[in-house]
Amino acid sequence: MASGRWVDAVRPYIEPAPLAALALGISSAFPLTMINATLASRLAEAGIEKKSVTAFALVILAYNLKWLWAWIVEGLKIPVLHRLGQRVSWLFVVAALVCAAAVGLGLSDPRVSLAQTAMAAIALGIAGATFDIVIDAYRIELLEPRQLGVGAGMGQYGWRIGSALVASLSLVIAARAGWSIAYIVSCAFALPALLTALIMGEPARHAEITARRPAEGIVRAVVGPFAEFFRRQGAILVLAFILVHKIGDTLANLTFRLLFNDLGFSKDEIAFYDVGVGFWALLVGVFVGGILYARLGMKRSVMISLVLMAVSNLSFAGLAAAGHSNLGMAGAIGFENFASGIGGVTLVAYFSALTDLRFTAAQYALISAATSVLGRILSGTTAGALVERFGYVDFYLLTTVVALPGVVLFGWMARSGMIDRSIGSAGVEGEGDTRADVAVKG
């Protein structure tokens, strides 16, 4: 009996669509990792001053602005390749652009021309953000409503695996063959998404609905996705939740390394507990998140994740009060990453279900950009000042309080039925219905 329950829990993860989400996640991590982690190491090695190195982080703003051009991916047909399908053709074209941008960045030399390197990094940022637009839409449309939770979890697994592999492999290759070769080889990480597109083909849910959609002019193509979303009952409150739900978590996350340094943890301790324990706790959380979504349904699993993510900040208040404690650090990091893993699955599944299948790319680009933009602005401008003013213990207590409006707002929307009324066709068309209290089992 126990063995049967275990098999039932694992079976949804090995269905074709969730496995495709895993592969898509691996490819999605490639361009952002080359900008975030690898480029910083390369610039530092070239002797570029620190303020210039950190300024390159602005390149990732393309990921927050991707909704501005997502409508192009939604409506523009690729000549000749369009016969493969709208999503598949765009996936191939953007993958080629990402690889070209990565090679261009690899061939640029920051010691010769920092401006050229900056332009190449911006090109990779824009191409990578566009790659994300296509991959997110393709993932959502491949998955049936009952698979959105597990698919989100597999996408999270893929992203983490891809990011770790890209970061480590590029450093190893760069040490032996130089940065140019490392960037060229990194293009191999676009292959999982391309192979997935060849094997899975155009998503049936997207093909069916676009076949019924009439031809649109450019104005309707731009305005249509946003007009459809904001016509829904409670759309403004849903957007408010998207904007505020992660503020407390983002504020807290930005200060963890500052806390560890001030408590006197060594680099080895930080590497073992923060990177090591945190990584495995996150993977466990992602798996548990998929099970919770499948067993409890969308609304209850999202509420659980919101509460856990808020409470996890208290563990760092406890660590700050206790001082240097390896056990305390392991517990705080483990709890925080476990909660984030669950939240990463349930919330991504919920946000995916909000999209309309006619406008998946444009609407999810807007939603995913909105989830982090407010938190990043506030954390970048206030987190350090708040720590200096209140101290770590009170700061983490404050981040817990800041997280509560998101919890309360979601709970009210769930009880009033507003969540159900605001769900898009991606959450209801196909097998299962995300509005059900308990997800339909396949």
Side-chain angles (χ1 to χ4, degrees):
M1 183 68 69
S3 176
R5 286 196 297 268
W6 184 87
V7 171
D8 289 340
V10 173
R11 185 179 292 115
Y13 287 89
I14 57 176
E15 293 178 339
L19 288 175
L22 175 71
L24 293 169
I26 292 173
S27 292
S28 176
F30 145 54
L32 188 59
T33 303
M34 296 304 288
I35 296 169
N36 255 355
T38 307
L39 182 58
S41 298
R42 183 186 181 193
L43 294 173
E45 184 182 293
I48 306 300
E49 56 185 356
K50 288 183 174 60
K51 65 179 181 180
S52 296
V53 173
T54 54
F56 271 80
L58 294 174
V59 171
I60 66 172
L61 283 176
Y63 284 80
N64 290 110
L65 299 174
K66 59 187 179 181
W67 57 274
L68 290 173
W69 65 87
W71 63 271
I72 299 175
V73 173
E74 200 75 78
L76 183 65
K77 296 182 179 181
I78 305 294
V80 182
L81 286 178
H82 181 69
R83 67 187 64 181
L84 299 174
Q86 180 75 358
R87 298 294 181 230
V88 172
S89 60
W90 268 98
L91 197 58
F92 273 86
V93 169
V94 179
L97 293 176
V98 167
C99 290
V103 171
L105 183 55
L107 295 177
S108 68
D109 189 341
R111 290 168 295 192
V112 175
S113 175
L114 190 59
Q116 182 182 353
T117 301
M119 293 301 295
I122 291 171
L124 181 55
I126 294 173
T130 309
F131 203 33
D132 253 20
I133 293 170
V134 184
I135 283 177
D136 285 334
Y138 190 58
R139 170 183 57 79
I140 293 169
E141 292 162 356
L142 278 179
L143 298 165
E144 300 289 345
R146 66 176 178 84
Q147 298 174 313
L148 286 176
V150 170
M154 292 294 272
Q156 294 281 320
Y157 277 138
W159 201 98
R160 295 287 173 173
I161 293 169
S163 180
L165 289 175
V166 170
S168 56
L169 185 62
S170 61
L171 288 173
V172 170
I173 294 175
R176 290 158 176 78
W179 283 109
S180 296
I181 300 299
Y183 274 78
I184 292 171
V185 172
S186 72
C187 293
F189 284 91
L191 289 177
L194 298 180
L195 291 174
T196 297
L198 288 174
I199 294 170
M200 300 296 291
E202 186 75 358
R205 294 209 296 168
H206 181 259
E208 290 170 4
I209 203 158
T210 51
R212 303 196 301 265
R213 187 172 68 185
E216 298 175 335
I218 187 169
V219 174
R220 185 173 175 81
V222 175
V223 176
F226 308 109
E228 190 283 329
F229 182 83
F230 286 107
R231 277 198 298 266
R232 301 181 202 173
Q233 184 177 357
I236 298 298
L237 283 176
V238 172
L239 182 60
F241 169 75
I242 292 169
L243 288 169
V244 307
H245 80 283
K246 207 174 180 182
I247 292 178
D249 199 51
T250 304
L251 277 170
N253 271 269
L254 188 67
T255 63
F256 290 162
R257 289 296 176 91
L258 297 176
L259 172 66
F260 301 154
N261 288 328
D262 287 346
L263 292 181
F265 286 101
S266 68
K267 290 183 175 61
D268 287 343
E269 288 172 328
I270 294 173
F272 180 79
Y273 293 106
D274 187 14
V275 180
V277 173
F279 177 78
W280 290 107
L282 182 85
L283 295 188
V284 173
V286 167
F287 183 75
V288 172
I291 294 176
L292 286 177
Y293 188 92
R295 298 303 174 103
L296 301 180
M298 180 186 69
K299 293 186 287 290
R300 283 186 285 180
S301 62
V302 169
M303 178 57 74
I304 289 171
S305 68
L306 290 172
V307 172
L308 287 175
M309 289 166 66
V311 173
S312 69
N313 290 349
L314 293 177
S315 62
F316 288 94
L319 176 61
H324 189 134
S325 166
N326 287 342
L327 183 60
M329 185 182 186
I333 284 294
F335 184 22
E336 196 277 333
N337 279 273
F338 177 74
S340 294
I342 294 176
V345 171
T346 60
L347 285 162
V348 167
Y350 168 48
F351 296 149
S352 300
L354 286 172
T355 60
D356 186 294
L357 289 170
R358 293 171 296 173
F359 313 110
T360 316
Q363 288 184 348
Y364 194 80
L366 174 65
I367 291 169
S368 60
T371 59
S372 59
V373 64
L374 189 57
R376 283 179 180 171
I377 292 172
L378 290 177
S379 61
T381 56
T382 64
L386 289 172
V387 169
E388 291 177 355
R389 180 173 180 180
F390 297 112
Y392 283 110
V393 175
D394 288 344
F395 170 76
Y396 290 120
L397 293 176
L398 176 63
T399 62
T400 303
V401 173
V402 170
L404 294 180
V407 179
V408 173
L409 180 56
F410 187 84
W412 181 81
M413 291 193 303
R415 288 193 300 273
S416 67
M418 192 172 295
I419 289 178
D420 289 343
R421 292 192 293 272
S422 63
I423 291 298
S425 58
V428 299
E429 292 197 10
E431 294 182 34
D433 188 331
T434 57
R435 298 169 298 185
D437 288 334
V438 178
V440 178
K441 298 175 177 60

